[in-house]
Amino acid sequence: MLVIRTVPELRAAILEQRRAGSSVGLVPTMGLIHAGQLSLVARAREENGCAVVSITADPSRGEHAIRDRRRPEEGRDLALLEREGATIAFVPTHSSLFPPDDLTRVLVARLTDRLEGASRPGYLDLVTTVIAKLLGLVGPARLYLGQKDAQQIVVVRRMFRDLHVNTALLVCPTVRESDGLAVSSQNAALSIEERHAATCLQQALLAAERAWAGGERSAEVLRARMGEVLV
């Protein structure tokens, strides 16, 4: 696996892959690699000659993200990616993607003003901007995202449609822990009490799914089934 930290090196490596006739699959991550992300890497490797995994720190943290590149977890992340068969790991500093005079942002209106977008104003705009930058640098045939990040997928899908992005967006199934909680670097930080509470959401959705499978079509009744679990 080739570890790349600068934009010029990435462009050169991608050009070499294209000259070799390889298609390129891209898996964007923010590090702290887990089983869910590794499942995306495995699929990218199977469906493309070249699997590129980006490790960019949380874009909302600005210059603090530079220090993340020196964190001890980076070695662990790279070892996992190499074991999974990634071709290229792109590990840029924040300033590589967002130079001091950077002025451009990719905004998807109306879809980013609720849910995660409401609790983290501007965050989803930075996510779409980072993905747009990576698409421009890598030019992948396929982009792989996990179904877990539902709102981000809706926003990115709309960006693809509106900007006529010539890349296939592939949404892959959520990988879950034994208790049903989605595998996630954020979920790994939950306390025992928080983790127990978080599993209620999936249980509520499964209750609604069972009711739907049994023929129930009333939205009010389906919401009531979920509410019974969430009480």
Side-chain angles (χ1 to χ4, degrees):
M1 181 181 72
L2 188 61
V3 179
I4 294 176
R5 299 184 185 274
T6 70
V7 166
E9 288 176 318
L10 178 63
R11 286 177 170 152
I14 294 297
L15 180 59
E16 184 175 342
Q17 290 292 329
R18 295 197 184 287
R19 284 174 173 167
S22 297
S23 64
V24 179
L26 173 63
V27 179
T29 81
M30 289 192 292
L32 296 176
I33 300 299
H34 53 70
Q37 294 164 329
L38 291 174
S39 71
L40 304 182
V41 176
R43 182 167 174 183
R45 185 195 67 235
E46 292 168 1
E47 297 178 351
N48 304 274
C50 173
V52 178
V53 182
S54 63
I55 301 179
T56 57
D58 184 339
S60 65
R61 295 184 56 207
E63 287 303 318
H64 293 293
I66 295 176
R67 289 195 290 272
D68 279 0
R69 297 281 63 81
R70 305 188 185 113
R71 58 187 171 78
E73 292 88 349
E74 184 183 291
R76 166 193 169 277
D77 286 350
L78 294 177
L80 288 172
L81 293 177
E82 183 163 26
R83 189 181 310 160
E84 197 59 54
T87 312
I88 296 172
F90 179 46
V91 193
T93 61
H94 178 82
S95 56
S96 296
L97 288 181
F98 291 92
D101 58 349
D102 183 81
L103 298 175
T104 302
R105 295 291 180 271
V106 179
L107 314 179
V108 179
R110 298 205 303 273
L111 297 181
T112 56
D113 59 2
R114 64 193 70 184
L115 302 174
E116 186 176 21
S119 62
R120 304 179 71 183
Y123 173 71
L124 291 174
D125 300 332
L126 286 169
V127 168
T128 49
T129 299
V130 168
I131 289 180
K133 287 173 179 278
L134 291 171
L135 291 172
L137 288 170
V138 177
R142 302 171 184 87
L143 175 71
Y144 298 85
L145 296 177
Q147 192 177 33
K148 169 180 68 67
D149 300 308
Q151 186 178 15
Q152 290 186 29
I153 290 167
V154 170
V155 172
V156 171
R157 182 176 283 127
R158 185 57 180 256
M159 179 184 76
F160 271 44
R161 196 201 78 168
D162 291 353
L163 298 183
H164 308 286
V165 176
N166 190 28
T167 294
L169 174 58
L170 300 178
V171 180
C172 304
T174 299
V175 175
R176 296 186 178 277
E177 304 279 7
S178 58
D179 60 2
L181 193 64
V183 176
S184 164
S185 56
Q186 289 86 356
N187 287 343
L190 295 176
S191 67
I192 295 176
E193 293 77 13
E194 290 170 335
R195 186 180 183 91
H196 177 72
T199 60
C200 291
L201 179 57
Q202 193 217 15
Q203 293 167 10
L205 291 170
L206 290 174
E209 183 180 52
R210 288 191 295 270
W212 177 273
E216 182 58 66
R217 294 296 181 267
S218 167
E220 183 177 351
V221 172
L222 293 174
R223 283 194 295 269
R225 294 288 182 273
M226 294 178 67
E228 292 167 1
V229 176
L230 295 173
V231 170

